[in-house]
Amino acid sequence: MEFFCYHRDRPGSTPLRTQMVEEHWTYMDAYAARMIARGPTFTSDETLTGSVHILDLPDATAARAFAFEEPGYQAGAYRDVLLRRWQNTLGRTMWEFGDGRPDSDRFLVLGFSEPSTDPIDLPHGDSLIACGPLLSDDGAVVVGAAVLLEAASADAARQVLSPGRFTAIEVHQWEAGGRRTS
């Protein structure tokens, strides 16, 4: 079962997150083989705003344990957690996407919709890194979409989701994450 997890930072928590980076990475290392995508979100001045993890786990109990046992969450770095079933419509990980284009930035686009059992029309294209619907716990109801992509700007990234289908759309700057090796 695939899950989308977005820990949203508590305002002013960047020093705490920076202090805890090794604990965070050590925790995430235990899930490395299950990761589809991961990485921080941030503002234009590079202030951290959250942490995205998309991963394959056995069930909702395991997903909740992953989200709420994360060291930064336990220490109070995050104001809330968005945890939803998800479906990897591209069938690949962010590592299979490659290095991308030098003239593009990366974004997380979240679209929230009224609950529906109707399938959701998701974007297509070679700029998508990861894409899928946000689902109810049983996977039967669509409540939104989460897309990681490359785009020239936040406005261009926002256009990947149809405003007529979603009641709210959020765009966050994002970068591929993981333990730094250099």
Side-chain angles (χ1 to χ4, degrees):
M1 247 178 239
E2 296 160 336
F3 292 88
F4 175 87
C5 181
Y6 183 40
H7 289 90
R8 293 177 192 264
D9 282 25
R10 182 179 45 77
S13 67
T14 297
L16 176 59
R17 285 201 51 204
T18 301
Q19 175 188 338
M20 298 191 68
V21 72
E22 183 58 35
E23 290 174 71
H24 171 78
W25 284 340
T26 298
Y27 184 78
M28 292 303 158
D29 286 347
Y31 292 91
R34 298 176 169 275
M35 290 282 176
I36 295 166
R38 66 184 287 187
T41 59
F42 48 91
T43 62
S44 59
D45 69 359
E46 299 195 13
T47 300
L48 293 172
T49 60
S51 189
V52 173
H53 297 93
I54 304 172
L55 62 170
D56 190 356
L57 293 168
D59 54 36
T61 300
R64 286 183 189 94
F66 168 82
F68 298 114
E69 292 174 10
E70 193 278 337
Y73 179 83
Q74 290 292 311
Y78 304 115
R79 70 174 182 165
D80 60 52
V81 179
L82 172 62
L83 180 63
R84 283 284 174 197
R85 288 265 311 263
W86 190 75
Q87 183 182 6
N88 187 357
T89 60
L90 300 177
R92 67 170 182 233
T93 70
M94 73 177 198
W95 295 274
E96 295 169 279
F97 178 76
D99 292 333
R101 302 175 200 162
D103 60 337
S104 294
D105 290 319
R106 291 184 173 187
F107 298 92
L108 163 65
V109 181
L110 295 171
F112 301 98
S113 61
E114 294 297 324
S116 174
T117 56
D118 294 334
I120 193 167
D121 186 29
L122 291 167
H124 303 280
D126 62 0
S127 66
L128 300 180
I129 300 166
C131 179
L134 297 172
L135 304 167
S136 60
D137 284 352
D138 65 2
V141 177
V142 176
V143 296
V147 181
L148 296 173
L149 77 152
E150 289 188 328
S153 67
D155 287 337
R158 180 179 305 280
Q159 300 308 311
V160 75
L161 294 180
S162 168
R165 172 65 165 97
F166 298 94
T167 56
I169 297 175
E170 297 178 6
V171 178
H172 305 271
Q173 289 183 289
W174 172 80
E175 71 177 33
R179 186 179 290 279
R180 305 294 191 258
T181 58
S182 57

